């Protein structure tokens, strides 16, 4: 790094195999819109979910094109809804355990796992590090950086609840993918953006994804 050059410090975004790829897309768009650098890790299982939910493949050799197509798609499935520049994204393969985010010396602001499957939650809580997503999360915890886990599953059994408590005890913030309605949602994208916004709130990233509660009733749209 040359003198006067600012060191890149990205947010690591991990996408696991749970349903909810629109949540991940909304978080990624908002991070990029806020001028944040992003390191992206897409699990093998999440590629199947992404293909099923959007019809978009995610291929290592064509990840820029596939990511652009994914982030341009609205939560209602309409392509070309958003115009997104992915030049600030660095992609790491899930099987690359020698990748930058696998080391605590790699500079990062923290990590957001969205959506987080119960298998992912268990792997991080138990410290399994079976792929780069889990390893990067373990590194984030040991380095005392921000880790936000947007769990997307229902119902939750006792084992998963215990894993979530373990993550909370370790310093992570657990954000269930639970949309709220007080913000006046009129479209599926509004519900998705609310969850994405709460993930970013937990990470301390500024955004304008939803209308915040101001302590006044009737602040939503006309009914």
């Amino acid at each position: 790094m040359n003198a006067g050059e600012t060191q890149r410090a990205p947010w690591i975004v991990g996408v696991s195999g749970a349903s909810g790829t629109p949540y991940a897309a909304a978080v990624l768009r908002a991070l990029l819109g806020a001028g944040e650098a992003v390191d992206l890790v897409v699990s093998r299982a999440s590629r199947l979910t992404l293909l099923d939910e959007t019809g978009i493949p995610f291929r290592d050799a064509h990840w820029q094109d596939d990511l652009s197509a994914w982030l341009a798609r609205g939560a209602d499935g309409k392509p070309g809804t958003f115009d997104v520049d992915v030049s600030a994204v660095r992609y790491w393969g899930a099987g690359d355990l020698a990748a930058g985010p696998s080391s605590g010396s790699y500079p990062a602001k923290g990590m957001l796992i969205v959506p987080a499957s119960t298998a992912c939650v268990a792997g991080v809580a138990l410290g399994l590090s079976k792929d780069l997503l889990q390893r990067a999360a373990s590194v984030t915890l040991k380095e005392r950086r921000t880790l936000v886990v947007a769990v997307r599953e229902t119902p939750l059994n006792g084992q998963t609840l215990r894993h979530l408590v373990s993550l909370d005890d370790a310093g992570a913030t657990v954000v269930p993918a639970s949309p709220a309605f007080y913000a006046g949602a009129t479209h599926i994208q509004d519900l998705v953006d609310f969850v994405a916004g709460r993930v970013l709130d937990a990470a301390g990233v500024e955004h304008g994804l939803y209308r915040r509660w101001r302590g006044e009733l009737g602040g939503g749209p006309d009914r």
Side-chain angles (χ1 to χ4, degrees):
M1 186 171 64
N2 297 327
E5 203 174 288
T6 302
Q7 186 179 51
R8 182 179 183 273
W11 284 98
I12 302 167
V13 177
V15 186
S16 80
S19 176
T21 55
Y23 293 130
V27 165
L28 288 165
R29 284 193 299 264
L31 286 172
L32 295 173
E36 299 285 353
V38 173
D39 275 20
L40 179 63
V41 182
V42 179
S43 76
R44 291 186 176 90
S46 69
R47 296 177 189 229
L48 298 176
T49 306
L50 179 64
L51 184 62
D52 185 57
E53 293 185 345
T54 69
I56 298 172
F58 197 92
R59 303 161 293 178
D60 286 348
H62 305 282
W63 70 265
Q64 293 101 330
D65 291 338
D66 296 339
L67 179 62
S68 294
W70 175 26
L71 298 190
R73 193 179 189 92
D76 59 359
K78 183 180 179 180
T81 301
F82 300 98
D83 183 16
V84 184
D85 180 3
V86 300
S87 60
V89 178
R90 184 172 186 179
Y91 169 70
W92 301 95
D96 186 3
L97 291 177
S102 68
S103 172
S105 66
Y106 183 77
K109 291 183 177 179
M111 183 172 183
L112 317 175
I113 305 178
V114 53
S117 66
T118 55
C120 173
V121 166
V124 176
L126 297 173
L128 298 182
S129 295
K130 74 176 185 66
D131 61 9
L132 180 60
L133 196 159
Q134 292 184 14
R135 172 59 186 169
S138 294
V139 167
T140 301
L141 287 175
K142 81 179 182 68
E143 296 296 324
R144 300 296 190 264
R145 296 170 183 158
T146 298
L147 176 63
V148 182
V149 180
V151 61
R152 215 308 306 165
E153 185 63 81
T154 189
L156 296 172
N157 63 26
Q159 186 177 47
T160 298
L161 290 168
R162 286 188 287 273
H163 288 151
L164 292 172
V165 170
S166 294
L167 289 178
D168 180 78
D169 288 343
T173 301
V174 176
V175 179
S178 302
F181 296 87
Y182 64 78
T186 59
H187 191 278
I188 186 174
Q189 190 67 55
D190 298 327
L191 297 175
V192 168
D193 284 349
F194 179 86
V195 172
R198 295 299 287 151
V199 170
L200 294 172
D201 287 346
V205 176
E206 292 187 7
H207 65 87
L209 289 176
Y210 68 89
R211 182 182 66 84
R212 297 184 181 278
W213 177 250
R214 301 297 184 187
E216 298 177 2
L217 296 176
D222 293 338
R223 291 172 174 81

